[in-house]
Amino acid sequence: MKPNYLKSLIFSLALFCSYNAAAQIDTLVMPGNNLIVGEVKGMQYGVITIETDYSDDDFTIEWLDVVAIRTQTRFLISLSNGERLNGTVSSYGSEHGVKIHESDGTELADVALEDIVFLNGVESDFWGRMSASIDFGINLTKANNFKQYNARSNVGYRADRWSAGLSYDLLRSSQDETDPIRRQEFGSTFQYYLEQKWYIAGNLNLLSNTEQALDLRRSLKFGGGRSIIKNNKAEWGAIVGIAFLNEEFDNSSLTEPVDPNPRASTEAFIGTNANLFDTGDLSLTSSLYMYPSLTESGRFRTDFSLDVKYDLPLDFYIKTGLTYNYDNQPAEAGNESDYVMSIGFGWEL
């Protein structure tokens, strides 16, 4: 029996099973012609998730290990070329070939399996479109009564044409005979996806940092970006735009107080973001932003972050991260640079 006929027979059996189980409407064929019949919840970062009636936990499978797929569930589908479609997906005769159809059967696209980089159920409820994570770390040392703790959290929502996110990072450190260190940062982001790989974005960032004598820095950014690489192994993109800055300084612990009046400025910015996830249970996320000032002569700022996450069972993880801030014209009492290294244990939705 030819492989294509065998595949058709497998699909026929799978569809028969799925029509006889209300919640089980999608089918995956794995190596060795093993069938998984259930409801595909989505696919992201090269991993597809399917829920079945016969398992307490959802199955998570490497996307490129899937031999064939057929769904009745309609998805928001993102392709590696940046195109976004709504429809069902089904394999056909040629190896790793997938067709995307509308509900009425109209064919929308004919692509390779590896060209699909994201799936999310179009009819997903609010929680099905949410993502969230939170992690904590703590250090205690008897010498000098040293205490330090940090917390990091993220919440995101993804719709058909846009996404939004919130983040909050906190660091507290104290020891005998030194001033306490406080650093907290809040961020909110919004992205609207245009044709192909282009998007527009807005960001509000609030930073308080004793190391740089910042009582509060408000940064509002607007820009446009493009995904340069987007596949099932990595994502990399770049963005440019303009930022509006307002800074207030902390005089509470300074022997020579700085000007308490807020400092306002306008900056251009260029940034890049990278995400590597085809590394087993490890994933790496990094970003670099550079801000040449448009209103303060010679001023230049840089923000850099690097996170490495190791996935554990039951959606737990261990994460280590580095955040670095540089400003060549800080407040008179502040330092030009500051960095935070953290390690924490967390959980994600």
Side-chain angles (χ1 to χ4, degrees):
M1 185 179 291
K2 294 183 179 180
N4 288 347
Y5 289 117
L6 178 61
K7 190 177 293 184
S8 298
L9 179 61
I10 292 171
F11 270 132
S12 298
L13 177 62
L15 290 176
F16 175 81
C17 294
S18 63
Y19 277 117
N20 284 275
Q24 308 220 332
I25 55 178
D26 305 321
T27 305
L28 300 181
V29 180
M30 305 307 299
N33 293 326
N34 294 310
L35 282 177
I36 301 177
V37 181
E39 182 180 2
V40 172
K41 310 301 289 185
M43 188 276 289
Q44 188 174 19
Y45 301 138
V47 176
I48 187 170
T49 302
I50 183 169
E51 179 184 22
T52 68
D53 284 345
Y54 49 83
S55 175
D56 291 336
D57 298 319
D58 296 343
F59 288 99
T60 55
I61 302 160
E62 293 289 333
W63 175 241
L64 296 183
D65 287 342
V66 173
V67 174
I69 180 173
R70 179 167 292 181
T71 75
Q72 294 182 51
T73 302
R74 293 182 70 247
F75 296 100
L76 166 65
I77 305 163
S78 294
L79 304 181
S80 58
N81 64 3
E83 188 175 3
R84 286 175 165 77
L85 302 168
N86 287 338
T88 62
V89 296
S90 59
S91 299
Y92 60 95
S94 61
E95 185 177 357
H96 271 199
V98 177
K99 290 186 177 181
I100 301 171
H101 292 91
E102 266 288 9
S103 299
D104 61 3
T106 303
E107 183 177 319
L108 299 175
D110 185 343
V111 299
L113 186 79
E114 54 267 28
D115 290 334
I116 299 176
V117 297
F118 178 80
L119 295 172
N120 194 65
V122 172
E123 304 301 330
S124 294
D125 60 15
F126 177 81
W127 294 109
R129 293 173 177 259
M130 288 284 293
S131 62
S133 66
I134 184 168
D135 52 82
F136 300 93
I138 186 169
N139 294 308
L140 300 174
T141 304
K142 182 178 180 181
N144 297 324
N145 194 28
F146 176 77
K147 302 184 181 81
Q148 182 185 76
Y149 64 90
N150 63 274
R152 308 178 75 183
S153 58
N154 293 275
V155 177
Y157 182 85
R158 184 159 186 162
D160 290 1
R161 300 293 302 180
W162 59 270
S163 63
L166 299 173
S167 64
Y168 179 72
D169 296 348
L170 174 68
L171 173 72
R172 290 285 188 273
S173 180
S174 65
Q175 60 181 326
D176 295 342
E177 301 179 357
T178 62
D179 293 327
I181 296 173
R182 296 180 293 106
R183 187 185 191 280
Q184 55 185 343
E185 184 172 13
F186 168 82
S188 64
T189 60
F190 177 85
Q191 290 187 349
Y192 185 82
Y193 304 107
L194 304 173
E195 295 299 323
Q196 302 302 318
K197 299 183 179 182
W198 295 95
Y199 64 89
I200 54 176
N203 172 271
L204 172 65
N205 182 270
L206 306 176
L207 173 65
S208 176
N209 187 359
T210 55
E211 183 69 11
Q212 294 180 301
L214 279 172
D215 185 49
L216 181 62
R217 172 188 286 162
R218 305 178 188 89
S219 174
L220 184 62
K221 295 188 295 189
F222 299 97
R226 190 178 191 275
S227 296
I228 301 171
I229 295 175
K230 189 177 181 69
N231 54 42
N232 289 289
K233 297 182 179 181
E235 295 179 356
W236 176 44
I239 183 172
V240 296
I242 190 168
F244 303 96
L245 207 64
N246 186 281
E247 297 168 301
E248 300 175 11
F249 301 102
D250 183 7
N251 289 317
S252 60
S253 60
L254 304 180
T255 56
E256 298 182 4
V258 299
D259 185 355
N261 295 316
R263 181 169 71 173
S265 61
T266 302
E267 304 171 320
F269 76 85
I270 180 170
T272 183
N273 298 271
N275 188 355
L276 304 177
F277 38 82
D278 186 35
T279 51
D281 291 326
L282 278 175
S283 60
L284 183 150
T285 304
S286 182
S287 67
L288 173 65
Y289 283 81
M290 295 174 286
Y291 303 88
S293 180
L294 300 177
T295 58
E296 294 181 284
S297 178
R299 188 180 183 189
F300 181 81
R301 297 191 306 112
T302 301
D303 292 334
F304 172 77
S305 69
L306 173 66
D307 289 323
V308 179
K309 182 166 73 77
Y310 182 78
D311 292 325
L312 301 172
L314 303 176
D315 295 325
F316 289 99
Y317 63 85
I318 298 173
K319 180 187 285 186
T320 181
L322 168 67
T323 301
Y324 176 81
N325 306 110
Y326 172 79
D327 185 348
N328 70 343
Q329 294 182 16
E332 293 180 10
N335 294 318
E336 286 190 351
S337 62
D338 180 41
Y339 69 88
V340 175
M341 295 192 67
S342 63
I343 184 169
F345 175 78
W347 178 83
E348 62 185 341
L349 173 67

